[in-house]
Amino acid sequence: MRIGVLTGGGDCPGLNAVIRAVVRRAERGFGDQVVGFLDGWRGVVEDDTVALDVDACRGLLPRGGTVLGTSRLQPFGMQDGVERARGTIERHDLDGLVVVGGEGTLSCARGLHELGFPVVGVPKTIDNDINATEMTFGFETAVEIATEAIDRLHTTAESHDRVMVVEVMGRHVGHIAAWAGMAGGATVTLVPEEPFDVAEVCEVVRRRHERGRFASVLVVAEGARPIEGTMDMPEEEVDVFGHVRLGGIAHLVAAEIGRRTSFDTRVTILGHVQRGGTPTAFDRVLASRFGVAAVDAIHEGGLGMMTSLTAGEIVLVPLADAVAEVKKLDSGLWETAKVFFA
Ligand code: F6P
């Protein structure tokens, strides 16, 4: 068979591990040939490719980023994009295309599948917000990075008796914030799923500092928002893809806490540090399992499906289920996380 692979959307640790796994399984398991498309869907529309074999993938397993490059471009948004993409698939005589991506990239894959494109999805994102899979690779690595940052902020916060506000990624969901906040012993964690009341946050901080020199570390997901009318918020800006430009809620929260409590506050925005660098062992293993399963799916008639971690096993689920909605925080986990706010 001839198999294509692309990585689309925001990068995350583990993408190279998937590419390596796809190539290893395809070449060694089935004698297939693999072609890599550069910069996500752009490479498919513009037929920009690189040949991949086991030798070309040496050393990839621990490497962050993606050697194929990535972009947020999609055939549906490009001039004659779908027809040009179809032409590329036909020219390369592909039996299957492994699409490694988050919600945007997989939604596009689902749309193309309905038009007859031979796609199989692999979910990736540090945000862990893809439906129909318990976990995406990249998430665990991001949580480790954020937890280490919180640990480090604790010691400097204690020395100065300060309130530290640390902002983590999480546009629509608070998975990273909830996990890292719980693992790092955050005083309070703020997530997009539950609008916050800054007066309550100040109260928790005040009570904590009244008990002695117990510095606070607050974890804020970038998409967290106050209950309407409880805090002044600036107008939101939108980028060329229609995404609200996030980043900065931590500054607003810290300023408000400083104003209302007069505690000394400092802000740390972790940003893309969470997306860079080498994946954890768990993410390398999950990415490798997904990559192998995606090639197997192409051989076993699983087009239009996505690899998923379900009850510890790798299974296939319809792409349509995966992109039906964003996976929000599990309410049980969130209630447990809140037990430790104080
Ligand atoms: O990968 C998802 C994500 O990390 C979001 O949490 C974040 O808002 C977004 O990517 C930022 O991506 P970029 O800066 O690449 O547009």
Side-chain angles (χ1 to χ4, degrees):
M1 279 189 174
R2 291 183 54 80
I3 291 178
V5 56
L6 69 82
T7 54
D11 73 337
C12 80
L15 288 171
N16 284 324
V18 181
I19 296 167
R20 169 183 176 268
V22 166
V23 172
R24 178 70 68 115
R25 183 60 159 181
E27 187 179 313
R28 294 279 166 85
F30 298 101
D32 296 339
Q33 283 180 314
V34 182
V35 59
F37 289 96
L38 299 177
D39 304 333
W41 290 113
R42 186 198 67 77
V44 180
V45 172
E46 297 180 359
D47 199 353
D48 197 1
T49 61
V50 58
L52 291 172
D53 59 19
V54 169
D55 283 339
C57 293
R58 297 221 183 273
L60 280 196
L61 181 59
R63 255 171 83 179
T66 161
V67 288
L68 290 177
T70 185
S71 74
R72 295 196 198 278
L73 293 171
Q74 296 191 3
F76 291 109
M78 296 168 81
Q79 180 85 34
D80 303 324
V82 173
E83 284 325 302
R84 288 159 74 197
R86 198 189 295 282
T88 302
I89 302 287
E90 285 170 4
R91 247 185 324 280
H92 289 274
D93 197 17
L94 293 186
D95 299 287
L97 174 63
V98 179
V99 178
V100 189
E103 198 251 333
T105 307
L106 294 174
S107 294
C108 179
R110 186 233 168 160
L112 291 174
H113 172 66
E114 283 172 1
L115 298 175
F117 283 66
V119 295
V120 168
V122 171
K124 67 86 223 176
T125 163
I126 64 165
D127 292 344
N128 197 28
D129 60 354
I130 304 292
N131 206 30
T133 181
E134 282 158 17
M135 202 75 97
T136 51
F137 61 87
F139 172 65
E140 214 231 14
T141 305
V143 169
E144 284 296 329
I145 293 166
T147 303
E148 190 193 336
I150 295 165
D151 288 347
R152 287 177 185 277
L153 288 169
H154 265 294
T155 64
T156 172
E158 279 157 13
S159 305
H160 293 267
D161 197 27
R162 276 177 175 153
V163 178
M164 296 291 194
V165 183
V166 52
E167 183 175 305
V168 299
M169 279 188 169
R171 170 168 289 271
H172 306 292
V173 294
H175 295 284
I176 297 176
W179 280 66
M182 209 164 152
T187 305
V188 173
T189 298
L190 306 179
V191 295
E193 287 89 336
E194 189 170 304
F196 61 89
D197 181 346
V198 76
E200 276 174 25
V201 174
C202 288
E203 200 39 47
V204 174
V205 169
R206 235 185 249 114
R207 276 204 306 271
R208 183 176 169 85
H209 286 249
E210 271 167 17
R211 295 203 305 269
R213 287 175 63 86
F214 297 122
S216 306
V217 178
L218 274 54
V219 176
V220 185
E222 63 183 339
R225 291 292 173 268
I227 298 169
E228 220 168 309
T230 57
M231 202 175 119
D232 286 343
M233 293 290 288
E235 286 276 306
E236 289 180 327
E237 286 175 45
V238 174
D239 71 13
V240 288
F241 296 101
H243 293 157
V244 172
R245 242 186 253 288
L246 295 176
I249 182 71
H251 282 293
L252 300 172
V253 170
E256 197 69 19
I257 293 173
R259 198 174 63 74
R260 293 184 186 222
T261 68
S262 76
F263 289 130
D264 198 14
T265 62
R266 291 290 186 276
V267 172
T268 303
I269 297 185
L270 290 183
H272 295 77
V273 168
Q274 296 158 97
R275 278 199 349 212
T278 190
T280 58
F282 177 87
D283 280 340
R284 294 180 201 188
V285 171
L286 183 58
S288 300
R289 295 173 81 192
F290 277 171
V292 168
V295 172
D296 289 351
I298 291 170
H299 279 269
E300 290 161 12
L303 298 179
M305 305 295 273
M306 181 189 83
T307 61
S308 153
L309 182 70
T310 301
E313 300 291 330
I314 306 297
V315 300
L316 295 177
V317 295
L319 269 169
D321 291 357
V323 299
E325 59 184 348
V326 165
K327 186 180 73 190
K328 304 256 182 202
L329 257 182
D330 172 69
S331 57
L333 181 109
W334 180 232
E335 289 309 314
T336 305
K338 289 203 274 191
V339 169
F340 298 96
F341 291 1

